[in-house]
């Protein structure tokens, strides 16, 4: 099983943002990052996972490590109800970042994902590396 770490960063919220992921099969490591000029931290967290899942399209089972409760809870707890309620929250408002949630929903249809939450900025090597990559991507866009 491939293991992936993801992170998003934003210089201001909204502002220039970056996303990054690191993937490993235990032997090899691949890193990718990118950014947008005017975005939010939550969008960059979602973009990190979306790009990671798309890059891992050959794998039918992956483990995603994220420091974003927003992404983890959205995927494991909230999305089922959002979809049932036509992409509306429990208070009947449109789901924020719906475009990315829908894309992530489609991208994950054929893959089993094991979600692992990690505390951000806590010295976990691959999480720290993703944070560095995402911040660097945001700074380049600025």
């Amino acid at each position: 099983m491939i293991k992936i770490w993801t992170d998003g960063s934003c210089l201001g919220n909204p502002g220039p943002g970056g996303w990054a992921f690191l993937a490993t099969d235990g032997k090899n490591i691949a890193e990718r990052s990118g950014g947008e000029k005017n975005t939010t931290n939550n969008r960059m967290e979602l973009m990190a996972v979306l790009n990671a899942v798309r890059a891992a399209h050959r794998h039918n089972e992956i483990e995603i490590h994220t420091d974003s409760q927003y992404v983890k809870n959205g995927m494991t707890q909230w999305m089922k109800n959002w979809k049932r309620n036509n992409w509306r929250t429990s208070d009947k408002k449109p789901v924020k970042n719906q475009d990315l949630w829908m894309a992530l929903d489609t991208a994950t249809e054929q893959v089993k994902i094991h979600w692992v939450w990690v505390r951000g900025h806590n010295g976990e090597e691959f999480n720290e590396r993703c944070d560095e990559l995402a911040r660097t991507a945001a700074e380049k866009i600025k």
Side-chain angles (χ1 to χ4, degrees):
M1 174 173 29
I2 190 167
K3 295 183 180 186
I4 299 172
W5 281 257
T6 66
D7 201 16
S9 179
C10 204
L11 309 176
N13 204 17
W19 58 265
F21 71 85
L22 180 153
T24 183
D25 60 6
K27 296 178 186 174
N28 304 300
I29 294 176
E31 300 175 341
R32 302 285 183 276
S33 62
E36 295 180 9
K37 282 188 184 277
N38 189 28
T39 190
T40 65
N41 188 65
N42 283 341
R43 287 189 69 79
M44 292 296 91
E45 294 283 1
L46 286 164
M47 286 295 294
V49 174
L50 179 59
N51 281 292
V53 169
R54 286 177 173 166
H57 68 274
R58 291 188 188 100
H59 300 270
N60 59 7
E61 188 171 4
I62 57 179
E63 185 175 278
I64 296 180
H65 299 248
T66 180
D67 61 11
S68 172
Q69 290 281 2
Y70 175 68
V71 172
K72 181 180 177 288
N73 291 341
M75 290 300 293
T76 63
Q77 298 175 30
W78 307 331
M79 189 179 292
K80 187 180 354 171
N81 289 333
W82 290 341
K83 289 166 60 174
R84 186 175 54 228
N85 295 326
N86 198 26
W87 293 97
R88 300 246 173 222
T89 63
S90 59
D91 59 356
K92 309 294 185 222
K93 294 181 181 172
V95 171
K96 290 182 181 177
N97 304 310
Q98 181 179 329
D99 58 331
L100 295 179
W101 285 115
M102 291 175 81
L104 195 50
D105 183 42
T106 299
T108 59
E109 283 178 339
Q110 302 298 319
V111 62
K112 180 174 176 64
I113 298 180
H114 302 274
W115 292 95
V116 179
W117 181 77
V118 296
R119 184 171 304 280
H121 312 287
N122 205 35
E124 203 282 344
E125 177 186 7
F126 290 157
N127 177 259
E128 295 289 343
R129 177 63 180 150
C130 284
D131 179 65
E132 179 184 340
L133 290 168
R135 276 187 291 109
T136 299
E139 289 167 0
K140 285 182 181 175
I141 298 267
K142 185 166 74 163

